[in-house]
Structure formats: structure tokens, C-alpha cells
Amino acid sequence: MSTLDYNRLTCDYISSVCIRIARDMFALLPIIHTIVHAKLREETVVSVDFNRENLSKIKFSYTDPFKTLQLFPCHIQYDDDAGFSPVMKLEYK
């Protein structure tokens, strides 16, 4: 597998897992927002603050997971050639 294909696959997977975790948290708990952090090789590469109301409006059958993350306050640095770079975690306000 080429590096480009690996990075794209990793990006889709991490983005999808972040969304799934947020959806599961909202299904299980009476909260209005949650912050999800994703780590790759012990470094935080994604930090997203999901809002229940905004997440419930998304039609997941028609969206790109990475673009969906960018609809919320987030820290992400991703490049197809280099992959993910470490970012600072979002903090609860």
C-alpha cells in the first residue's frame, strides 16, 4: 500500500471513529457536548468538540467523515502526503 493510500485510509478511519464515539456518548448520556481526542503513536492528532444538536442534523449517509469533523470546533493537522501531525487538546470551558 502506498503512503498516500495509507494516510487517506487512516484519516477516514480516525475521523469515523471520532464521530462514532460522539454519537455513542450522546446516545448513552444526557449531555449536550463532548470532546473526543484521537491518538496515533501516543500523540494527540485529533481533538473535536461535538455538540449534540449539530451532530443530530447531519445526514451521515452522504458525508465525508473528515469534512464532518471540520464542522465542529477542532484541532486537526492533516496532509495527504505527511499524514497527521500532533495537535493540542481542546479543553472543556
Side-chain angles (χ1 to χ4, degrees):
M1 178 181 295
S2 72
T3 303
L4 182 65
D5 290 338
Y6 174 80
N7 288 341
R8 287 181 179 168
L9 184 64
T10 303
C11 179
D12 284 343
Y13 179 75
I14 289 175
S15 300
S16 297
V17 169
C18 288
I19 293 167
R20 177 60 188 250
I21 290 169
R23 292 179 76 187
D24 287 352
M25 294 293 291
F26 291 136
L28 294 171
L29 300 170
I31 55 177
I32 57 173
H33 81 91
T34 186
I35 297 174
V36 177
H37 306 293
K39 287 189 167 195
L40 187 62
R41 291 181 221 92
E42 301 301 321
E43 297 178 318
T44 302
V45 293
V46 176
S47 185
V48 186
D49 186 352
F50 290 99
N51 178 296
R52 177 189 289 267
E53 183 179 345
N54 294 342
L55 191 64
S56 68
K57 294 176 184 177
I58 296 172
K59 306 286 187 224
F60 291 102
S61 302
Y62 307 105
T63 62
D64 174 16
F66 185 69
K67 290 180 182 177
T68 301
L69 290 185
Q70 295 173 341
L71 298 174
F72 298 91
C74 63
H75 290 168
I76 302 173
Q77 286 187 346
Y78 172 78
D79 178 64
D80 279 340
D81 295 323
F84 284 102
S85 298
V87 296
M88 296 294 294
K89 290 182 179 181
L90 288 171
E91 298 294 328
Y92 180 72
K93 296 177 186 175

